[in-house]
Amino acid sequence: MDTSAHSQDNKPGFGFKLFKAYIRFFHGRLFYKKTYWLHTERIPAHGPLMVVSDHQNGLSDVLGVLMSIAHRDKRKVRVMARADVFKLPFRKALCWLGLIPAYRLAFDGEESLANNAASFEEIEDELLHDGTILLYPEAGHQDKHWLGQFSLVYLHILFEAARKTGFQKEMFVLPSCNHYSDYFHAREKMLVCYGTPISLAPYYELYQTRPRTAQRQVNQLVRQQINDMMLNINDLEHYAAIDFLRETYGIDYARRKGLDPDNLPQKLEADKMLVRRLDEVKAIDEASVLALYVDVERYRQELDALRVADRDFRHPANDASLVGKGVLFALLLPLFLVSCVPNIGIYYAPHLITKRVKDRFLHSGFDFGVTALVSAPLLYLLTSGIVWAATGSLCIALIVLACLPLLGLFMYHYMKHFKAYRAQLRFHRLWRKGLLADAAGQRESIHHTLDHLLKQFT
């Protein structure tokens, strides 16, 4: 095999670099409000590398790693992806982007598993030439903040690649995790955090005699690092109550711990602390904690029935504030209407697909893909082309093209804040009628009980 030729193929070409720059801009500047890449200095600069991560948000997880690893590693990252996406019309484009199909028993049938041999060979070949592979050992995305079971296939691939070198080449596993301020909407925050690279070299001798034992030992180290980095709510029976508490009570809890709830990495640390403390207290006084979770669920359902949010209890708007906001929305309405052309079409285009996709945790990926690859470039270029034809000025058309994404951001935030404003008006009306007294009492009782439990068992 010609190693130098493979090395050249492994480096991204100009077209790929240009495409990746566009995706990086759209991902980091438009789709997400803020992105955090934590500990990218831990990414090995050279050598075979397999990045493994928790998987909770479909394509968004993949893009997070791809965008963050680009700051450190200039090589083209290959991604092992579910095989059914290769049935779509753009199979060649997926291969060009570096995706490798993974066939799974539960989704593709037993007869398809034999196809994995070619995929494994391709991954091993990439590793032998110092490639970078991204793989999700849960073999599917989770629907909550929790860590599922790992398939050991990723370690089988790594060890077998090492075997082909006579166990002379050092292979590395890099644990990572993804986290989001919100799974489902644009203009939110996301982070990717990297752990410490794990070398497989110390396990080569063990693998040659007891391969499963070597795989299990390495897998335990990988899982432990990912578990420590991510928010892992193991109490799935009471997940809804715990997740609600971290999003509501957890804001004040973070501040008491000296952490900023508006900073996603710090909020993640506070959430992990709160969930850990709830587990500790439950182990000591299970009856009190379970009674608390019942109260939380009752309160949460009460808010849903009233169609109000907990945040409105924290910051209730007064009459002057509501009037001022109403005036501001009215003044900005003409600009909003202008910004809807053509951005309203871009905003709703992904819904043509997501309304047919039952798994909500895939929606964010479709939103990004349709917007970045289809609706935004198509409608922006079409609009600027019409302006060029109407004015005869390329300069004006280019200015319009540059302004359209900014107007799109304005349109999105206007709609988002106006929706919140309507919720505040509803809350204010219900409050004045005395219809929120019971919910307010439940909220106060929950916070008082939780304060007492957390302090009592410190």
Side-chain angles (χ1 to χ4, degrees), residues 34 58 93 176 180 206 295 381 418:
K34 189 169 181 60
S176 71
Y180 303 83
L206 177 62
D295 291 341
L381 290 173
F418 185 71

Side-chain angles (χ1 to χ4, degrees), residues 244-289:
F244 181 82
L245 283 174
R246 74 167 188 90
E247 291 182 335
T248 54
Y249 177 89
I251 293 174
D252 291 332
Y253 182 84
R255 292 194 177 103
R256 291 204 297 269
K257 294 298 180 180
L259 299 170
D260 181 3
D262 293 322
N263 179 286
L264 187 59
Q266 293 188 38
K267 182 60 164 62
L268 172 58
E269 289 306 311
D271 288 346
K272 288 159 57 178
M273 293 167 62
L274 177 59
V275 171
R276 185 165 58 248
R277 288 291 294 126
L278 287 170
D279 287 340
E280 291 169 355
V281 174
K282 183 184 174 187
I284 300 171
D285 188 355
E286 183 176 12
S288 295
V289 174

Side-chain angles (χ1 to χ4, degrees), residues 291-311:
L292 172 68
Y293 290 161
V294 171
D295 291 341
V296 170
E297 276 298 288
R298 186 182 301 117
Y299 171 61
R300 190 171 68 89
Q301 292 171 13
E302 178 78 4
L303 294 184
D304 289 343
L306 292 167
R307 290 187 289 132
V308 297
D310 179 84
R311 63 177 175 270

